[in-house]
């Protein structure tokens, strides 16, 4: 449900900020809070109303948590294509809500899933979990 909704809403978020695949990762994002684009959620509210935006945001948090748990349970060598697809979806939905750090890390996974080694993969998942937690902590209460 969310992915379909997010696709439709991405134009609203894009109206506030133009995101492309040209996300530039920070040299070392391990201790950096995720960059949050506050106007992204406001654009969703303008597009679909506060109730709809809040509902979709709730789905985002739930699905993102589930997606990150899934990524931790799959074996890298056996599921590289799945990692790439899941990372692509995560990148898109994180951008829709303005969580650029999480989107950046998802893009990194999407681009490197085919060649990533086990240790760098585990490190990337730890960084994604941290970005998710930081993003959730930055989420304004509506």
């Amino acid at each position: 449900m969310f992915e379909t909704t997010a696709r439709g809403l991405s134009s609203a978020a894009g109206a506030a900020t133009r995101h492309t695949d040209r996300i530039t990762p920070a040299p070392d994002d391990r201790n950096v809070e995720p960059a949050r684009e506050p106007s992204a959620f406001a654009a969703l509210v303008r597009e679909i109303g506060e109730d709809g935006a809040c509902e979709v945001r709730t789905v985002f948090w739930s699905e993102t948590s589930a997606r990150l748990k899934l990524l931790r349970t799959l074996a890298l060598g056996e599921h590289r294509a799945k990692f790439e697809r899941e990372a692509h979806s995560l990148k898109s939905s994180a951008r829709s809500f303005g969580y650029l750090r999480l989107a950046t890390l998802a893009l990194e996974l999407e681009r490197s899933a085919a060649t990533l080694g086990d240790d760098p993969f585990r490190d990337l998942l730890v960084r994604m979990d941290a970005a998710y937690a930081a993003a959730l902590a930055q989420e304004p209460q509506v």
Side-chain angles (χ1 to χ4, degrees):
M1 172 191 147
F2 174 72
E3 290 184 27
T4 303
T5 305
R7 280 187 217 114
L9 296 177
S10 65
S11 62
T17 58
R18 293 289 174 210
H19 300 293
T20 67
D21 277 347
R22 292 172 285 160
I23 297 173
T24 305
D28 182 1
D29 65 343
R30 296 168 203 269
N31 297 316
V32 177
E33 292 278 318
R36 182 172 175 273
E37 177 58 53
S39 63
F41 186 73
L44 295 177
V45 169
R46 284 190 303 276
E47 183 73 22
I48 64 172
E50 188 171 336
D51 289 344
C54 288
E55 182 179 329
V56 172
R57 181 177 59 187
T58 298
V59 173
F60 164 76
W61 291 118
S62 174
E63 287 190 359
T64 300
S65 177
R67 182 169 279 126
L68 291 171
K69 286 176 186 173
L70 174 66
L71 293 177
R72 288 190 303 274
T73 64
L74 299 174
L76 176 62
E78 299 172 26
H79 300 282
R80 290 183 185 274
K82 178 129 181 106
F83 284 111
E84 189 174 329
R85 286 189 307 273
E86 292 295 328
H88 177 80
S89 294
L90 177 56
K91 173 192 70 181
S92 299
S93 60
R95 281 182 182 165
S96 294
F97 288 95
Y99 290 106
L100 303 181
R101 174 64 52 210
L102 186 55
T104 297
L105 294 170
L107 175 62
E108 185 178 333
L109 177 57
E110 179 184 14
R111 288 182 173 169
S112 64
T115 60
L116 203 57
D118 286 334
D119 288 340
F121 171 70
R122 281 191 293 276
D123 180 60
L124 183 54
L125 289 183
V126 167
R127 292 163 50 207
M128 290 173 74
D129 284 338
Y132 171 81
L136 186 57
Q138 289 181 356
E139 187 63 32
Q141 300 303 312
V142 179

